[in-house]
Amino acid sequence: MQAARRRPFDRSRSPRRDRQRGSAAIVVAIFLSLAVAVLGALDVGNAFFARRSLQRIADLAALAGAQTMDDECSAPTATARASAAANGFSAAAGQSLTVVCGRWDTATNTAPSYFASANASPLNAVQVRAVRTVPYFFLGPSRQIAATATAQATNLGAFTIGTTLAQLQGGLINGLLNGLLGANLDLSLASYQSLAGARIKVGDLMAALGVDTVDALLATQLDAAQLANLMLSALSRTSVADANLQTDLATLQAIVASGLSTSVRFPLGATDTAPGLLSVDLAHTQSAVGATISPFDALVVAAEIAKAGQAPTDIAAGLALGTLQTTLKVQILQPPVLALGEAGMNPATQTWRTQARTAQVRLYLNIGLGPVMLPFVGAVGANLPLSLEVAPGQAWLEAAHCATSAAASNSTIGATPGLANVCIGDAPTNLSASQPFSCTRPATLIQVSNLIVVKANAALPAVVPAQDSATFEFDGIAGNADDYQSASSNAVGSVLANALSGLSATLAEPGALSVTLLGGALGLPLGPVVSALVAFLAPALTLVTEDLDAALVPLLQLLGVQVGVATIHDLSLTCGVSKLVY
């Protein structure tokens, strides 16, 4: 039997070949997928790096623009565009750069950017938006990418109103600080003047106190002795140039060792409800780290805070009124405050963002006019009691212009002087700070127990009228002659002189003087007594008028008080270093 013929083997229909063909298709598909992924990754990577580069351009442009902040946004815009161009951003097709100035403020603007360009005053931030078209080489048409950056830079002014050492006597300043602080100081005027020219940074105070934030510094409670120690530690480490550093350190060391009061503690930051050393109103308080203040001004403010609202303090040194003997009591109703912050107004409240004020004080003086010979009585001592209350003056930072150099930078500060009431009359029996100022008690010119009492039946208030504000401009260089600027349209001297001359004229009128002899038990003719008094008082009051202003004005200035005068002490202008905030 013939064997069956075997059919030839068809390799094309081999299961193994089918499996190989299927594997190849899978490999191709995987390869194509990988190729697409790789090409897509190239496009995505290119877009990523393009956006990263664009963000860098926007960041640098915003930082550069904020560094040159002005009120019109002209310099920030030009600077931001120049920075973008220098980093490779051109005005080619598909590219655009938008620069907007506004205000970055976490307290008034909404998250997450905290930036607003409408009703933004003062300007403190620049927002840059850069747009660029990026081609997709493998995955489709080109697309636009954008990057936004916001940078903020705060220009800080620091100043006081009403304080100056230009005319102070060393004895008076020692007496005042000793009375307010319970100290035992006997320093020279030159030492105080040198200390007034010294500067310490807010950051120096933070380092000396061991805190990391300005908010923590402002919330710290200290007494006057602790503040003096803090100032000494801060001045010893400050980076601010001080040609008289060793002298200033020695002055502060003497103040620290003088036994300062520890009875009253107060925060370093002033609030609406509590007095404090510094009034700081900033969108970002940490911006105040580089601002500088005067340790002397700080010490005087601390002394007044320690005595605010208390009974009047006797100033042992009194006032130097020629040969006249004078006693003086000082009562602090409201302490002054140092201002540190931004320029311009708050649009929401229509108030100036950064304001300093003078103190509100009362002075009670009793001026010995010397002995007067009276008929039937003999020689008796005559006095002139005066009371003075000064309401606070105000100063505000209108503008702060930072330029490429300190000499070209400047601050513009507005000010309104304080008002005053001057009374010739006995001080009220209740000398509480809450007691309203009154001028209703006739002046007791002579009082000798069981012998004679002479009163002036006219207590004449002399009020300094309100006046227009003055505006000052300062360069940004500390220690220059223009650090103190003042304007006066109604000096305190004319007010006191007018009051006293008015009293002199009044006392010459019939019935203006009330004279009581021996408690009224003995009837004697009073005409000769009154005539002798009038003849004595006219020249005596002239001497007082000549000397009182020269002695009283420096005392008021040391207290941070002025009447009819606005003197601004410009402490510093710190041009902010820009930083990215969004």
Side-chain angles (χ1 to χ4, degrees):
M1 180 175 169
Q2 187 178 3
R5 295 182 62 184
R6 181 177 296 176
R7 295 180 60 185
F9 181 71
D10 187 355
R11 295 182 181 274
S12 65
R13 297 182 60 85
S14 169
R16 181 178 297 177
R17 177 61 60 87
D18 291 341
R19 287 194 299 269
Q20 289 176 345
R21 185 179 295 115
S23 298
I26 292 173
V27 170
V28 171
I30 293 174
F31 175 79
L32 291 175
S33 298
L34 289 174
V36 170
V38 170
L39 295 176
L42 291 175
D43 272 347
V44 171
N46 178 60
F48 172 80
F49 285 109
R51 191 187 185 286
R52 185 174 179 180
S53 174
L54 193 63
Q55 185 66 59
R56 175 178 171 273
I57 291 171
D59 290 347
L60 294 174
L63 287 168
Q67 193 69 42
T68 59
M69 180 60 64
D70 60 23
D71 295 335
E72 296 78 27
C73 196
S74 56
T77 300
T79 305
R81 293 189 179 280
S83 172
N87 286 285
F89 191 92
S90 64
Q95 297 194 144
S96 64
L97 189 77
T98 305
V99 181
V100 178
C101 293
R103 182 167 181 79
W104 184 86
D105 195 330
T106 57
T108 58
N109 299 333
T110 57
S113 68
Y114 298 111
F115 176 85
S117 58
N119 298 320
S121 177
L123 301 176
N124 74 345
V126 173
Q127 188 175 83
V128 174
R129 178 177 171 81
V131 178
R132 171 178 283 171
T133 300
V134 177
Y136 271 18
F137 300 108
F138 306 105
L139 297 182
S142 301
R143 59 170 295 183
Q144 281 192 331
I145 59 173
T148 301
T150 303
Q152 180 242 4
T154 302
N155 300 329
L156 297 177
F159 59 95
T160 65
I161 174 174
T163 59
T164 176
L165 283 172
Q167 301 174 350
L168 289 181
Q169 300 92 357
L172 179 58
I173 184 174
N174 283 319
L176 181 63
L177 291 179
N178 288 339
L180 295 178
L181 293 173
N184 185 25
L185 289 167
D186 187 20
L187 297 172
S188 68
L189 177 59
S191 297
Y192 288 116
Q193 287 176 323
S194 177
L195 189 61
R199 294 291 182 272
I200 52 177
K201 290 184 177 181
V202 171
D204 298 328
L205 292 174
M206 293 167 54
L209 196 59
V211 297
D212 297 326
T213 66
V214 175
D215 287 333
L217 174 73
L218 297 177
T220 300
Q221 298 266 344
L222 298 174
D223 56 42
Q226 291 170 328
L227 178 65
N229 267 300
L230 178 63
M231 292 290 169
L232 176 60
S233 177
L235 185 61
S236 66
R237 69 181 70 202
T238 186
S239 59
V240 181
D242 185 353
N244 301 315
L245 180 59
Q246 296 307 314
T247 299
D248 297 335
L249 288 174
T251 300
L252 275 176
Q253 287 170 342
I255 293 173
V256 167
S258 65
L260 301 181
S261 171
T262 60
S263 59
V264 177
R265 292 171 63 86
F266 51 87
L268 291 182
T271 66
D272 294 336
T273 57
L277 185 67
L278 291 170
S279 174
V280 179
D281 184 4
L282 291 171
H284 186 47
T285 53
Q286 202 66 15
S287 302
V289 169
T292 62
I293 63 172
S294 161
F296 175 81
D297 286 349
L299 181 66
V300 173
V301 172
E304 295 184 66
I305 293 174
K307 280 293 183 180
Q310 300 183 25
T313 299
D314 289 313
I315 304 302
L319 289 176
L321 296 179
T323 60
L324 301 180
Q325 298 297 315
T326 306
T327 61
L328 170 66
K329 292 179 181 290
V330 175
Q331 187 173 37
I332 310 298
L333 305 183
Q334 182 184 42
V337 64
L338 310 182
L340 193 161
E342 296 176 274
M345 298 190 75
N346 187 327
T349 61
Q350 288 301 300
T351 58
W352 296 102
R353 290 187 179 276
T354 303
Q355 297 187 64
R357 68 166 183 266
T358 64
Q360 181 177 3
V361 304
R362 290 176 186 165
L363 303 181
Y364 300 100
L365 298 88
N366 191 21
I367 303 170
L369 300 177
V372 54
M373 291 297 300
L374 297 180
F376 316 113
V377 177
V380 293
N383 301 292
L384 178 65
L386 290 174
S387 300
L388 172 69
E389 181 179 73
V390 186
Q394 300 287 337
W396 53 90
L397 186 59
E398 293 184 1
H401 302 283
C402 285
T404 55
S405 66
S409 304
N410 63 80
S411 302
T412 302
I413 301 173
T416 299
L419 308 180
N421 283 301
V422 182
C423 289
I424 295 91
D426 290 350
T429 55
N430 183 359
L431 297 180
S432 168
S434 60
Q435 182 76 10
F437 187 76
S438 64
C439 195
T440 58
R441 306 186 69 201
T444 300
L445 304 182
I446 298 173
Q447 183 167 6
V448 180
S449 179
N450 297 323
L451 179 60
I452 182 172
V453 177
V454 178
K455 291 193 174 185
N457 290 324
L460 305 177
V463 180
V464 179
Q467 49 193 296
D468 295 334
S469 64
T471 301
F472 312 93
E473 287 197 10
F474 302 85
D475 65 32
I477 305 176
N480 277 12
D482 71 346
D483 284 357
Y484 291 97
Q485 291 186 26
S486 61
S488 172
S489 59
N490 196 352
V492 64
S494 63
V495 176
L496 296 176
N498 290 340
L500 294 176
S501 64
L503 177 64
S504 179
T506 300
L507 294 180
E509 297 177 0
L513 294 176
S514 169
V515 182
T516 303
L517 294 173
L518 299 177
L522 181 63
L524 292 175
L526 299 181
V529 175
V530 173
S531 297
L533 281 171
V534 171
F536 167 79
L537 287 173
L541 292 177
T542 300
L543 291 175
V544 173
T545 302
E546 292 174 351
D547 294 335
L548 187 58
D549 294 336
L552 187 60
V553 170
L555 171 67
L556 292 175
Q557 289 178 333
L558 178 58
L559 288 166
V561 176
Q562 289 182 298
V563 182
V565 182
T567 296
I568 302 298
H569 184 190
D570 187 39
L571 300 175
S572 67
L573 172 60
T574 305
C575 296
V577 177
S578 60
K579 54 185 174 293
L580 291 172
V581 292
Y582 185 71

